[in-house]
Amino acid sequence: MMRLTDIDILARTIYGEARGEPYEGKWGVGRVIVNRWKSKKWFAGDFIAETAQLPWQFSCWNRNDPNRQKILDCTYDDKMLRECMKAAMDAIKGAPHIWFTDGITHYYADHIRPPNWAEGQTPAGRLGNHLFFKDID
């Protein structure tokens, strides 16, 4: 089951995590969240919104993250949030299909130190400035 709040929170998470990325990068972040939700693994919630807002999973929702207030305050008058909404809807539909994105559940920006979970892992692919991974438990 999907709720309107799931779509809104997905778009806001994309806004907080990837608003400076090209469209495919925004879509990839959305796809990670949708894939996590569908996986039913420990990093999935019962709903997309819950999956996006689980503690310490997507940094834009952390209370100490400067993006948090931005994603809470922005409205759909913001052109970038509207683009993130389109990316969210496409991520839910699975379009555009990019060969390596089936099953991606993790990513990180290439300008940060790799997180512990990425040690020894090979990226499935890159979209914009994010490296995407699958088969991470």
Side-chain angles (χ1 to χ4, degrees):
M1 177 171 69
M2 187 158 327
R3 309 162 305 168
L4 286 175
T5 191
D6 294 311
I7 300 166
D8 179 66
I9 294 297
L10 181 59
R12 289 175 188 279
T13 306
I14 294 167
Y15 184 92
E17 297 281 315
R19 68 181 168 275
E21 293 295 307
Y23 184 78
E24 291 78 14
K26 292 177 182 73
W27 176 83
V29 168
R31 199 68 199 144
V32 161
I33 297 164
V34 171
N35 287 345
R36 282 185 176 207
W37 170 62
K38 288 180 175 181
S39 78
K40 305 290 186 219
K41 292 185 178 182
W42 68 267
F43 46 68
D46 291 334
F47 298 98
I48 289 175
E50 184 182 348
T51 301
Q53 294 178 312
L54 283 171
W56 306 107
Q57 296 301 305
F58 297 95
S59 63
C60 66
W61 290 107
N62 295 343
R63 295 211 180 272
N64 63 342
D65 192 294
N67 279 308
R68 182 180 169 89
Q69 201 56 51
K70 291 177 185 176
I71 62 178
L72 293 173
D73 289 345
C74 68
T75 69
Y76 285 99
D77 292 331
D78 183 322
K79 179 182 174 187
M80 186 59 64
L81 184 58
R82 289 193 308 270
E83 183 173 319
C84 293
M85 173 60 81
K86 180 180 180 338
M89 295 300 293
D90 284 347
I92 290 166
K93 289 188 297 188
H97 186 74
I98 300 171
W99 69 270
F100 71 82
T101 59
D102 289 341
I104 56 172
T105 57
H106 289 70
Y107 67 89
Y108 71 89
D110 63 5
H111 64 271
I112 67 167
R113 192 174 80 98
N116 291 340
W117 58 259
E119 287 182 23
Q121 302 294 324
T122 302
R126 170 191 291 272
L127 295 171
N129 294 309
H130 287 111
L131 300 169
F132 292 85
F133 297 80
K134 49 178 92 174
D135 301 323
I136 305 292
D137 287 321

